Every structure is written in C-alpha cells, then in structure tokens.
Amino acid sequence: MGDDEREQARPLKWNQVDIATASLNQESEIDLRATGARLWSKRWWILAAIIASTAAFVAVAFLSTPLYRAATVVVVSGNPARGGMGGLSSTLGEFSGLATLAGVDVTQGAAQWAEPMAVIQSRDFTERFIRDLNLMPELFPKLWDAQAKRWKGPQARWPSMARGFKYFDKKVRTVTRDKVTGLIKIELEWRNPTEAALWANTLVSRLNEEMRSRAIASTTASIGYLEREVATTTEVETRMAISRVMESQINQRMLANVTQEYAVRVVDRALPPDPRDVVWPQKALLLLMGPAFGLLCGVFVTLVSSAFGSSKR
C-alpha cells in the first residue's frame, strides 16, 4: 500500500471512532431524558414522600423525650499501697512466691485503672446500684403502675434485673478512658438532668466504697495467712521478709479504712446540665434530614419501580 492509500485510510478510522462516541453520547442523553421524564411523571409521589418524611422527622423532633448528659471525670488514685509492692518485690527475692500465695500483688503499677473500670461496668455492681436506688421503675416507666406501686400486666412481662442492667449499660451509662492523660470519664444520659448528675456522682462514690471493702477484705485475709506463716517459721531471713509483706498489707488496710477516694479521685464533679443542653433530639438536624430523606426515598422507589416495570414488559 502506498503513502496515498494510507493517508486515505487513516481519516476513515478516526471517523468510525467519532461516530461511536457520538452514538454513546446520544444514548446517554436519551437515558437521562428518560430518567428525568420518569421522575417528572412521578413528581407527586416524590412530593408525597418528602411531606411524609418531613412530618415523621418533625414528630420525632418535637415529641421525643429530651435527654441530657451529665459527666464526671476521675483519675485513678495514686496510693502507694495500691500500686503494688514496688521495691519490696526485689527485697523479697525468692520469697515473692510466698507473697503471691498470701494474695499480695508484687508487681508494680499493674494496670491500676483496669480494675476500677471493670468493676464500675460489671453486671453485679450495676445491678446492686439499680436495686439500691430503686431505678427499675425509672428505667421502665411505661411498665410501672405508679399508683398501685407494682408492675403492670402478668408477672411474665415484668422487666428483670438483667434487662435493667442491659438498658442502663447500653442506653444510660458510658465509661471511657483517655489513653494519653489516663482520665476516666463517666457519662450518663437521662431525661432528668438533676438525676443524671446525681447518679454519676453516686456511681463514683459507690465505686470507691466497693474498692475499699475489697481491699480491706483482701488485706485482712493476707495478714491472717502471713501471721500463721511467721508463727511456724524459724529462719530469721524468712521471718523478716514476711514481716515486710505484713507491714505493707497493714499500711494498705489502713489507707483503705481512712481514704474516701481510695480507688479513683474526682477531678471534675458531675453537675446538672442546662435545660437547653439537650443531647437528643437535635431538632435542627432532624428538620434538615426529613426532606432530604424523603427526596432520596421517593427517587429511589420511583427508579426501582420503573426499572422493574420495564424489565417485566
């Protein structure tokens, strides 16, 4: 093929590409027009969806019970006796196993924050908190007959304490820890701002009482065991090591008896939030979401129904 023939064939190739591109553009334009026509033909359905969605979101915004958030910030107390045995573990040497048998923690600072956080979120601690403050009628007011002072309906439908714990743990209380500062925040969301602050502060005080009672019981048991061991030991070094462990346990029990903020120390006490500081519902956000959600639903249903009808035909 000569040069003249190649020059004549080249424009023919580009003309084919242009024709294909133009065809695709025309098909896309037709599809857009058809889609617009479908949406326009169903404009009243889409408008009805927008109105219905807006009405639903407005009802949620203005009829929902407002929730308030009260928060208290605490930090783990730096009691030396709670931080483990420190340098005493190196002094004990081979006798550290004896301290372990006595229930004494010979590690230094063994995640002091982990136990208080686990206790305050535990089911046993939470259920006792709910039971002592009689919060079950507060958590399930629709099931409680305030006049008769009893639950409504048959006993099989009464809320159990396990259900109360689940609701309180998932819907009311939130416990978080800042990994950088070590601060622990305890937040409660409730419809009564005064009660939310009261419950948050009561949780902290009861946590300290719980940890104090556990420390007293643990150190008392450890001291009893060590006293029996020292009474049956004749080696001087062993007796001295046991005496050091006993001294540490006695100091820890003394701190547990006299220190009110034994486990955690309050940094910022919970106060009732302002009545305007509503966590839920966020009215402005709901009023914006209503029309947008209705528009999306109307367009989606229209397109799906049109596509289904076309494929059926």
Side-chain angles (χ1 to χ4, degrees):
M1 180 182 296
D3 295 338
D4 295 338
E5 294 179 351
R6 283 196 295 268
E7 291 296 331
Q8 293 178 359
R10 188 174 301 165
L12 179 61
K13 181 177 180 181
W14 285 108
N15 289 337
Q16 291 175 350
V17 173
D18 293 340
I19 292 173
T21 303
S23 177
L24 290 175
N25 292 335
Q26 186 177 6
E27 290 179 0
S28 300
E29 185 177 355
I30 293 174
D31 290 340
L32 291 176
R33 289 180 179 178
T35 302
R38 294 192 193 99
L39 294 177
W40 180 253
S41 64
K42 300 293 184 179
R43 61 188 180 278
W44 299 114
W45 290 100
I46 297 175
L47 180 61
I50 294 174
I51 295 174
S53 176
T54 302
F57 276 76
V58 168
V60 171
F62 288 95
L63 298 180
S64 297
T65 302
L67 295 179
Y68 303 89
R69 178 181 297 148
T72 179
V73 180
V74 299
V75 65
V76 175
S77 297
N79 294 331
R82 292 193 65 250
M85 301 293 291
L88 182 59
S89 60
S90 60
T91 304
L92 291 178
E94 59 181 305
F95 304 109
S96 59
L98 179 64
T100 303
L101 290 175
V104 181
D105 182 14
V106 297
T107 60
Q108 186 171 3
Q112 298 181 23
W113 56 268
E115 186 178 3
M117 285 194 66
V119 170
I120 199 173
Q121 298 179 88
S122 65
R123 177 175 174 179
D124 177 65
F125 177 84
T126 305
E127 288 187 358
R128 283 190 280 116
F129 176 81
I130 295 173
R131 187 182 301 109
D132 294 344
L133 272 66
N134 193 27
L135 300 185
M136 289 295 288
E138 297 279 348
L139 298 178
F140 305 99
K142 295 182 179 180
L143 302 177
W144 178 254
D145 190 342
Q147 295 182 350
K149 304 295 182 182
R150 64 184 300 274
W151 296 108
K152 299 177 182 179
Q155 187 174 359
R157 298 182 58 185
W158 296 357
S160 62
M161 190 60 64
R163 183 179 172 186
F165 161 74
K166 185 177 181 180
Y167 182 87
F168 188 85
D169 188 56
K170 300 296 183 182
K171 302 293 185 179
V172 180
R173 178 190 59 197
T174 304
V175 182
T176 57
R177 175 180 175 270
D178 191 317
K179 296 181 180 180
V180 178
T181 63
L183 296 176
I184 300 173
K185 179 181 288 188
I186 303 169
E187 298 176 318
L188 271 76
E189 293 184 2
W190 192 241
R191 55 180 177 267
N192 188 317
T194 304
E195 288 184 347
L198 175 64
W199 294 354
N201 294 324
T202 305
L203 273 173
V204 175
S205 62
R206 289 177 66 94
L207 174 63
N208 278 316
E209 292 177 4
E210 175 72 16
M211 300 303 294
R212 287 176 61 223
S213 62
R214 291 189 179 192
I216 293 172
S218 175
T219 53
T220 300
S222 299
I223 291 171
Y225 174 83
L226 295 171
E227 287 177 344
R228 293 191 297 270
E229 286 295 320
V230 77
T232 59
T233 301
T234 58
E235 296 183 4
V236 177
E237 293 183 358
T238 304
R239 292 174 65 90
M240 291 180 60
I242 295 176
S243 299
R244 294 286 301 275
V245 178
M246 287 180 59
E247 180 183 359
S248 173
Q249 294 298 286
I250 293 172
N251 291 336
Q252 184 173 347
R253 185 170 62 177
M254 178 193 67
L255 285 174
N257 278 288
V258 302
T259 307
Q260 295 297 323
E261 295 184 333
Y262 176 75
V264 294
R265 186 173 67 256
V266 177
V267 177
D268 187 9
R269 182 177 175 85
L271 296 175
D274 190 273
R276 293 170 295 183
D277 295 338
V278 179
V279 177
W280 172 263
Q282 296 289 340
K283 294 182 180 180
L285 180 61
L286 290 174
L287 293 179
L288 290 175
M289 290 177 59
F293 183 77
L295 176 62
L296 290 176
C297 289
V299 171
F300 177 77
V301 172
T302 299
L303 295 179
V304 170
S305 60
S306 298
F308 180 76
S310 299
S311 63
K312 190 175 182 179
R313 287 193 299 269

